[in-house]
């Protein structure tokens, strides 16, 4: 029977499960990879929350859920994703893991710098764009990053 032995039902089920995972694009976590997957999930959720606030009016000092300033939008978005951030853009920068531009990913924070200070923050959406609450008289929107004077931070 050796070479002609039929696969057991268990091995068929295992192969089917692997094929199903491959077909639906599921991710298999490896030991030590859970923290990275969790951080990615948090950032993706925060990005989705920020995008869902498109059109919400800017209001200085507002932290949502209907009006936002720049750091209020990031604070609100990450809070909904299960992470807490400090209140201001500068405090948020100090509370994140600083990363180089080449390592930025969707959901990372983008901090705008003038002189030695941070004056604005948004959530990186990919393709050189951010979700942010720009200034008085505007609304939460997706916009191209307009300067190279930015720093990046990742929320863990």
């Amino acid at each position: 029977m050796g070479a002609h032995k039929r696969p057991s039902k268990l091995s068929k089920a295992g192969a089917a499960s692997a094929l199903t995972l491959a077909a639906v694009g599921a991710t298999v976590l490896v030991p030590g990879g859970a923290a990275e997957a969790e951080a990615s999930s948090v950032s993706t959720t925060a990005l989705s929350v920020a995008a869902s606030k498109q059109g919400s009016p800017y209001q200085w000092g507002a932290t949502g859920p209907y009006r936002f300033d720049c750091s209020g939008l990031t604070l609100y978005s990450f809070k909904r994703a299960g992470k807490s951030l400090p209140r201001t853009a500068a405090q948020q920068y100090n509370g994140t893991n600083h990363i180089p531009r080449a390592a930025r990913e969707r959901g990372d924070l983008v901090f705008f710098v003038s002189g030695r200070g941070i004056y604005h923050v948004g959530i990186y959406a990919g393709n050189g764009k951010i979700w942010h609450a720009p200034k008085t008289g505007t609304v939460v929107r997706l916009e191209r990053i307009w300067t190279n004077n930015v720093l990046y931070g990742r929320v863990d």
Side-chain angles (χ1 to χ4, degrees):
M1 276 198 164
H4 298 94
K5 187 175 178 182
R6 296 177 58 179
S8 70
K9 288 183 181 182
L10 181 60
S11 66
K12 282 183 185 177
S17 296
L19 290 173
T20 302
L21 286 173
V24 298
T27 302
V28 178
L29 297 177
V30 295
E36 183 177 321
E38 180 184 329
S40 176
S41 175
V42 166
S43 296
T44 301
T45 300
L47 179 60
S48 295
V49 170
S52 77
K53 295 303 177 178
Q54 180 176 9
S56 297
Y58 177 96
Q59 181 179 333
W60 187 84
T63 59
Y66 305 111
R67 296 176 179 274
F68 301 91
D69 68 6
C70 67
S71 57
L73 178 65
T74 55
L75 180 144
Y76 178 86
S77 298
F78 276 91
K79 184 176 182 181
R80 294 288 306 261
K83 293 289 183 175
S84 62
L85 289 176
R87 176 61 187 98
T88 68
Q91 291 169 338
Q92 289 177 5
Y93 178 71
N94 290 332
T96 60
N97 288 322
H98 304 160
I99 56 172
R101 181 181 192 273
R104 69 185 179 181
E105 296 177 359
R106 295 175 76 236
D108 287 336
L109 294 178
V110 181
F111 297 94
F112 292 76
V113 181
S114 179
R116 298 179 74 176
I118 304 285
Y119 71 91
H120 188 64
V121 63
I123 301 178
Y124 188 64
N127 297 320
K129 295 181 180 181
I130 59 167
W131 280 103
H132 70 139
K135 61 185 177 182
T136 301
T138 64
V139 296
V140 172
R141 64 186 181 208
L142 181 65
E143 190 168 19
R144 183 158 290 291
I145 298 171
W146 58 90
T147 179
N148 287 323
N149 292 332
V150 295
L151 299 169
Y152 295 89
R154 185 163 294 152
V155 178
D156 285 333

